[in-house]
Amino acid sequence: MKEINRQRRLLIAAAGMAAIPFARTSSAQAETASQVVPDTIRGTNTSFGPLKQIDAGDLSIGYAEVGPAGGKPVLLLHGWPYDIHCYVDVAPQLAKAGYRVVVPFVRGYGTTKFLSGATMRNGQQGAVASDVIALMDALKISTATIAGCDWGARSANIVAALWPERCKALVSVSGYLIGSQALNKAPLPPKAELLWWYQYYFTTERGQAGYQKYTKEFARLIWEQASPKWAFDDATFERSAAAFSNPDHVAISIHNYRWRLGLAEGESRYDDIEKKLATFPAINVPSITLEGDANGAPHPDPSAYAKKFAARYLHRTISGGIGHNLPQEAPQAFAQAVIDAGNL
């Protein structure tokens, strides 16, 4: 139990500590990698244009695709409660650089739907990450740079750790986010627990009913809490909020947080994946981790996870009041990290 508590404190309770800019190569040399990036392209775009749809695994996945069909593939993965518009300004920059950019709706968002009504509405980490592999298979993408924030960063971490042959390079906001039910059962100091208030709310029937009734209001509160210095307007929020009308959104969201605390069962077909993830495997692909200097969501300190990245690695802390939704708040920095990770 001491070891579980120690790891949990490092990975999550460090959210209350100041960020330590860190950069490292496989030779363990370190230098400061803090960046101040003007938001010169933030808010430039409002739409991806027509979306595409493809059957992949359990899902019919809706996704945006921009850039040349023969370009180097990049998958950009969003989290909760956001959507593909996290990358509405990132994707065009990468397309201009010659990348084939794929931005899928996560299960429970937008036009991504289950192919069968009988399939469990499962939000556990192994299931959500497996959707990424299914999508790559459906699109015949053998390997890609995979980048994400929030749930998307966790899925990107998992793909890089368990399927490194499918991941050319990784960009992850808030670093190493692979977890386990055992780890999440360990208590934190009260101030750290306070940051997870919504996780505990969701464990109750009142919380599920509240999220069902006030989905948009709840999501907007999380946006404000997680990015306290991001002055997003109503139109920006509403473009993403449309994705929450997916009929499975509430069920997937609630299951994700209940599963994390061991209060909901997963599916046995993901047991092997979860056993591997519970060992907190190292990531052995070139990686860049990013953090905003004003992230109001729970997040580990960069020094807590640096050793989990065993290949060529850089960390960048982005200054200027950048919060949790880093790709939408600092799209230029995020796009540059994707390009740089592929060249490490």
Side-chain angles (χ1 to χ4, degrees):
M1 182 60 74
K2 283 185 178 180
E3 176 62 16
I4 290 175
N5 281 330
R6 185 187 70 82
Q7 292 180 8
R8 179 120 167 106
R9 285 196 299 269
L10 282 175
L11 290 172
I12 300 177
M17 298 170 60
I20 300 174
F22 185 85
R24 179 173 65 79
T25 67
S26 56
S27 63
Q29 296 174 332
E31 64 182 24
T32 299
S34 184
Q35 295 191 346
V36 179
V37 179
D39 296 323
T40 56
I41 62 173
R42 184 170 74 184
T44 301
N45 301 282
T46 60
S47 172
F48 288 99
L51 301 180
K52 298 182 178 182
Q53 204 78 21
I54 192 168
D55 289 353
D58 292 334
L59 304 169
S60 172
I61 296 179
Y63 65 101
E65 183 171 358
V66 299
K72 292 177 289 187
V74 175
L75 269 68
L76 304 179
L77 309 177
H78 73 83
W80 175 92
Y82 304 97
D83 85 321
I84 62 173
H85 288 87
C86 288
Y87 303 103
V88 73
D89 288 319
V90 173
Q93 297 300 308
L94 294 175
K96 289 177 183 177
Y99 289 86
R100 176 191 179 190
V101 186
V102 176
V103 192
F105 283 112
V106 174
R107 56 169 60 194
Y109 291 80
T111 61
T112 291
K113 303 292 177 63
F114 285 86
L115 294 172
S116 170
T119 303
M120 178 181 177
R121 272 41 179 175
N122 183 352
Q124 76 182 96
Q125 62 179 359
V128 178
S130 294
D131 293 342
V132 179
I133 297 297
L135 176 61
M136 292 177 70
D137 289 344
L139 293 174
K140 296 180 170 54
I141 295 174
S142 60
T143 185
T145 295
I146 303 177
C149 61
D150 198 81
W151 289 18
R154 181 174 293 107
S155 293
N157 286 185
I158 292 171
V159 173
L162 300 189
W163 294 280
E165 72 281 1
R166 308 300 298 271
C167 185
K168 173 180 170 57
L170 169 71
V171 174
S172 176
V173 175
S174 296
Y176 188 91
L177 297 178
I178 294 172
S180 74
Q181 289 180 316
L183 183 73
N184 290 332
K185 288 179 181 178
L188 296 172
K191 286 185 178 180
E193 297 283 18
L194 180 62
L195 295 173
W196 288 109
W197 66 272
Y198 56 88
Q199 179 172 238
Y200 304 118
Y201 181 61
F202 284 170
T203 66
T204 68
E205 293 308 303
R206 178 188 177 97
Q208 181 169 351
Y211 190 54
Q212 179 75 59
K213 183 174 182 179
Y214 299 109
T215 306
K216 287 173 59 174
E217 294 88 344
F218 199 102
R220 183 156 191 148
L221 176 61
I222 296 297
W223 279 37
E224 292 168 350
Q225 175 181 309
S227 298
K229 296 186 178 181
W230 181 28
F232 61 87
D233 58 20
D234 291 343
T236 297
F237 175 75
E238 290 297 335
R239 280 190 288 273
S240 289
F244 310 152
S245 63
N246 183 292
D248 299 308
H249 176 75
V250 172
I252 294 293
S253 300
I254 297 296
H255 183 265
N256 175 282
Y257 289 102
R258 290 184 178 180
W259 179 88
R260 292 192 202 187
L261 295 177
L263 300 177
E265 295 293 328
E267 292 180 86
S268 60
R269 58 178 165 152
Y270 300 112
D271 284 353
D272 287 344
I273 289 176
E274 297 299 347
K275 287 177 183 177
K276 292 175 182 176
L277 296 177
T279 68
F280 307 105
I283 291 174
N284 286 288
V285 303
S287 303
I288 294 178
T289 58
L290 301 172
E291 190 57 80
D293 67 339
N295 186 357
H299 62 280
D301 186 274
S303 64
Y305 53 70
K307 292 182 179 179
K308 284 297 182 183
F309 296 92
R312 296 182 300 280
Y313 170 63
L314 293 170
H315 174 78
R316 295 172 179 170
T317 296
I318 310 304
S319 302
I322 304 303
H324 188 59
N325 186 7
L326 191 150
Q328 196 162 2
E329 297 176 62
Q332 188 170 338
F334 194 92
Q336 190 61 55
V338 171
I339 294 169
D340 293 345
N343 293 323
L344 283 178

